[in-house]
Amino acid sequence: MSGSHRQVEARNGTFDGLRGLAILVVVLSHAWVVYPFTNLSDIAPFDGWFKAGSIGVSMFLVLSGFLVTRSMLGGLARAGQRAPFTTLVRRFIRISAQVYLLVAVILIVAQVDDTDTATSSATTNSVRAIVTYTWNWYVRDNALDARGDLGHLWYLSVEMQFFVVLAVVLALWGRHRLKIAAGVAILLVAATWWRWHVYQTEGWYSASLRTSTRVDAALWGVLAALLWDRLDMVRRDATAIIGASALVIIGVIFSASRLGIDAYFGWQGIAIAAATTLFVVAASADQVRDNPAVRLFNLKPLRVLGGSSLTLYVWHLPLFYAITRHTPSWDASARAILAVVLLAAITVVLHRGVDEPLKRWTARIGRPRPAVTTDA
């Protein structure tokens, strides 16, 4: 195996490990649906892992912002202005395949499952907003007429809206990276202030669901991608930076139980976005070394979780709600075990049967077909 190939594998494995950590804390933050903890402090200091869902989402946004921007910029150099939209289409297809399948299941369940108490209007309106990726707006303005078991999908709506705008910007002005980077830096400062302002004036609910208050983490990733060629210092000291940023990421997760929601909308949110950005930039360097942090994030369980994070994210919460509705008299431990087993089974089937084939197929979208030669 060549050195270059090993480096690529290390980067991909580390990114999957980061996704694995993010999806772990997101799923754990919703574990209360199947296992209603009476006192999380009983499991201290690990109780923070059950309250770090927003932190996990910020990690996802940084990583996707970085990787999607790098893909769009790389395509722009090879294929011109249509490349950012090709990247957008690939992402839309992959995400929508899972989301639309879930929506179809929800529509069927709403008709045949007597334990599903959501009203017809709630289901219809929720589905309409989800498939158009306006779900975060709808949930913010219609909390009482939205399906709670689909609430987590707000993140995918915010991400899709953001990448539509990003594709347009890069298609029109992608050759002017420094100017775009300056604009992104200004937007990042403004979005960080705006999120805190909305939290202070409108409360955590509105601040959690507005597109403008949740894109700051994605902007960190975009800025890093735009300035990639000028981040030699980070890449040169990649080994040390990976270790230091990993410690900050883990520390922020542990801190989730000790700090209130104020911290996430303030310095804690900034810390997780900045640390994740440094981690991603350092981990994408060619000279990634086999240091303890790299080995940690390349552990197989984390890489497996990260590789199937989209499937896990889309399906875990509605499954948790469905299990709880059908097992009201069960012991919480038995219900939690059932939830883990069923989620694992669904994830394996859908990841292998839907996500992986789509990933291979969408990778060919926009690529020129190989020339066909004929013998004289």
Side-chain angles (χ1 to χ4, degrees):
M1 183 183 291
S2 70
S4 176
H5 187 62
R6 284 195 299 269
Q7 290 163 354
V8 171
E9 279 196 336
R11 287 197 296 271
N12 291 343
T14 305
F15 288 157
D16 274 343
L18 183 64
R19 290 190 187 94
L21 179 62
I23 193 61
L24 177 63
V25 295
V26 168
V27 172
L28 288 178
S29 73
H30 294 140
W32 61 269
V33 176
V34 292
Y35 195 107
F37 294 95
T38 55
N39 191 358
L40 268 176
S41 62
D42 291 342
I43 60 171
F46 297 99
D47 45 342
W49 290 71
F50 292 82
K51 296 183 178 181
S54 291
I55 292 169
V57 168
S58 289
M59 293 163 63
F60 276 129
L61 284 169
V62 171
L63 183 57
S64 61
F66 179 80
L67 293 178
V68 170
T69 303
R70 291 275 291 169
S71 177
M72 288 182 176
L73 290 174
L76 194 65
R78 295 188 302 269
Q81 288 182 308
R82 66 183 176 86
F85 297 105
T86 300
T87 299
L88 179 65
V89 168
R90 290 172 182 160
R91 195 163 187 84
F92 175 83
I93 292 173
R94 277 195 63 203
I95 291 175
S96 296
Q98 298 266 12
V99 170
Y100 289 6
L101 179 59
L102 172 62
V103 162
V105 171
I106 290 295
L107 288 173
I108 294 172
V109 168
Q111 294 297 318
V112 303
D113 186 357
D114 293 337
T115 68
D116 187 346
T117 58
T119 65
S120 176
S121 67
T123 299
T124 301
N125 292 332
S126 296
V127 164
R128 184 183 299 116
I130 288 168
V131 299
T132 57
Y133 291 100
T134 58
W135 177 233
N136 62 308
W137 303 339
Y138 183 82
V139 174
R140 187 195 68 190
D141 298 331
N142 302 275
L144 298 180
D145 192 36
R147 289 190 63 107
D149 55 352
L150 301 176
H152 65 306
L153 298 180
W154 68 265
Y155 155 66
L156 297 178
S157 291
V158 168
E159 188 183 85
M160 194 63 67
Q161 295 160 24
F162 178 78
F163 287 133
V164 168
V165 175
L166 180 65
V168 172
V169 170
L170 293 183
L172 294 177
W173 302 292
R175 306 293 181 183
H176 307 285
R177 295 191 187 184
L178 286 182
K179 291 182 179 179
I180 296 176
V184 169
I186 294 171
L187 282 175
L188 176 54
V189 173
T192 302
W193 171 84
W194 175 245
R195 184 172 69 164
W196 177 253
H197 174 74
V198 171
Y199 170 66
Q200 290 284 73
T201 57
E202 299 180 17
W204 70 268
Y205 189 77
S206 182
S208 297
L209 294 170
R210 283 179 179 268
T211 305
S212 58
T213 57
R214 297 312 297 252
V215 297
D216 59 305
L219 288 169
W220 277 92
V222 172
L223 185 61
L226 288 167
L227 296 177
W228 167 252
D229 295 334
R230 297 172 179 269
L231 296 175
D232 293 336
M233 182 181 70
V234 176
R235 295 196 298 276
R236 185 174 59 249
D237 299 324
T239 301
I241 290 175
I242 286 177
S245 56
L247 286 175
V248 174
I249 291 170
I250 300 299
V252 170
I253 293 173
F254 272 103
S255 76
S257 64
R258 304 291 177 264
L259 302 171
I261 194 68
D262 288 22
Y264 176 73
F265 287 106
W267 70 265
Q268 189 189 61
I270 298 172
I272 191 62
T276 305
T277 301
L278 287 172
F279 182 94
V280 167
V281 172
S284 62
D286 289 336
Q287 67 270 30
V288 172
R289 301 244 171 83
D290 190 23
N291 68 0
V294 171
R295 289 198 298 270
L296 171 65
F297 282 88
N298 274 273
L299 289 174
K300 188 173 181 180
L302 278 181
R303 287 190 287 110
V304 170
L305 286 174
S308 54
S309 57
L310 174 60
T311 306
L312 283 166
Y313 189 90
V314 170
W315 291 88
H316 77 279
L317 190 57
L319 177 65
F320 287 178
Y321 269 95
I323 289 173
T324 299
R325 292 199 310 265
H326 285 274
T327 59
S329 61
W330 282 33
D331 176 75
S333 297
R335 186 186 302 118
I337 292 171
L338 177 63
V340 171
V341 171
L342 289 182
L343 181 59
I346 290 173
T347 300
V348 169
V349 171
L350 292 181
H351 179 66
R352 294 180 179 177
V354 177
D355 193 45
E356 287 189 336
L358 271 177
K359 187 186 300 184
R360 293 191 293 268
W361 179 72
T362 55
R364 298 195 294 268
I365 296 176
R367 291 187 177 179
R369 295 181 179 180
V372 178
T373 58
T374 57
D375 295 332

